[in-house]
Amino acid sequence: MNAVFNGLNRILQVLSAILFTLLVLATTWQVFSRLVLNSPVTWSEELAKMLFVWLSFLGAALVYGERGHMAVEYVARKFDEKKERGFAIWTHVVSLVFALIVLVWGGWNAAMNAWSQNLTALPINIGSVYLVMPIAGVAIVLYAIYHIIEISAGRESNYPIPESEVAAAEGEKMAQEAEKDLHLDEEGRFIEDEEEAKKSHVTYHNEGDVAVDESDRQKGADK
């Protein structure tokens, strides 16, 4: 399932990047031809609208897969972990049903009904514009199934974790690893093993501290 998730992510990312690039080019050419060449073209506006529709639906599916949509979790956070997980799974079940009924089934019917209708400035039918709805719906269904499985297994958090919290956790982890205690033997060499350092009768400190022999410390205490 992870392979499907990663592959779907990659496909939608590439498609979204291509559609966004084409949208920028089409819009730029429309403005340039109207304001600079004083000869506006009609096809660029229809192309920009079509690209925007496809980009919106595919982008929404991608953001859902990455759990980037807004989540109102105030009420769910009031319950214990088990019930909170149930709420999280329920939200993805609702998303799955919505995608199946509205996007896949409804979008496919809309595309088929409009397949015989053509655009005025482009040699493309309107059904091909609506075809993005079932495509995005299938993607959301796959994403929903993946999140339901991962949350049920406890491999994924119940709700999206803000990027700031993720960055803070990663920074704290890196700081803890950087502050890992190092040990010095009697010759001033670092010893990574704590047990070996204890056998050398040397106290261990962070890097930069001076090692102190336990026997010397005991003599000072006796005095």
Side-chain angles (χ1 to χ4, degrees):
M1 198 64 189
N2 285 331
V4 176
F5 176 79
N6 294 330
L8 186 58
N9 263 355
R10 184 60 180 169
I11 292 174
L12 290 181
Q13 288 171 356
V14 172
L15 287 177
S16 297
I18 294 174
L19 290 173
F20 182 76
T21 303
L22 294 176
L23 177 60
V24 172
L25 293 176
T27 306
T28 303
W29 175 251
Q30 181 182 4
V31 175
F32 180 80
S33 62
R34 176 177 300 178
L35 300 181
V36 178
L37 302 180
N38 293 321
S39 177
V41 293
T42 56
W43 60 264
S44 60
E45 182 177 356
E46 283 195 350
L47 178 60
K49 291 179 180 179
M50 179 180 177
L51 292 173
F52 183 77
V53 171
W54 273 73
L55 180 61
S56 298
F57 278 92
L58 295 183
L62 177 60
V63 174
Y64 172 77
E66 296 179 347
R67 307 181 75 184
H69 286 297
M70 181 180 66
V72 182
E73 55 200 57
Y74 176 78
V75 176
R77 296 288 189 183
K78 299 296 183 180
F79 296 92
D80 55 33
E81 177 68 20
K82 185 176 181 180
K83 293 181 180 179
E84 185 180 320
R85 179 173 298 176
F87 277 115
I89 294 174
W90 171 249
T91 58
H92 290 292
V93 171
V94 172
S95 299
L96 189 151
V97 174
F98 174 83
L100 278 176
I101 297 177
V102 177
L103 295 179
V104 177
W105 182 74
W108 178 260
N109 288 334
M112 294 300 100
N113 291 334
W115 202 260
S116 58
Q117 303 175 22
N118 296 323
L119 295 173
T120 57
L122 290 174
I124 300 174
N125 56 53
I126 299 178
S128 60
V129 180
Y130 295 159
L131 194 61
V132 70
M133 289 193 290
I135 295 175
V138 171
I140 291 177
V141 168
L142 294 176
Y143 279 133
I145 294 174
Y146 172 81
H147 290 311
I148 290 172
I149 294 175
E150 293 298 305
I151 293 175
S152 301
R155 293 189 294 266
E156 190 172 84
S157 62
N158 296 334
Y159 292 99
I161 302 176
E163 294 182 1
S164 58
E165 294 184 10
V166 175
E170 292 179 353
E172 184 177 352
K173 182 179 179 181
M174 294 176 61
Q176 291 176 352
E177 293 178 354
E179 293 175 359
K180 180 181 179 181
D181 288 338
L182 299 175
H183 315 291
L184 292 173
D185 61 10
E186 295 178 352
E187 298 180 2
R189 296 174 299 183
F190 288 110
I191 304 175
E192 295 184 359
D193 187 19
E194 182 176 345
E195 295 298 327
E196 184 178 350
K198 290 181 179 179
K199 293 178 182 179
S200 301
H201 305 289
V202 177
T203 58
Y204 53 94
H205 304 274
N206 291 330
E207 184 176 2
D209 292 346
V210 179
V212 180
D213 192 287
E214 290 291 346
S215 59
D216 293 339
R217 173 175 290 185
Q218 186 65 35
K219 291 179 182 179
D222 293 340
K223 292 181 180 180

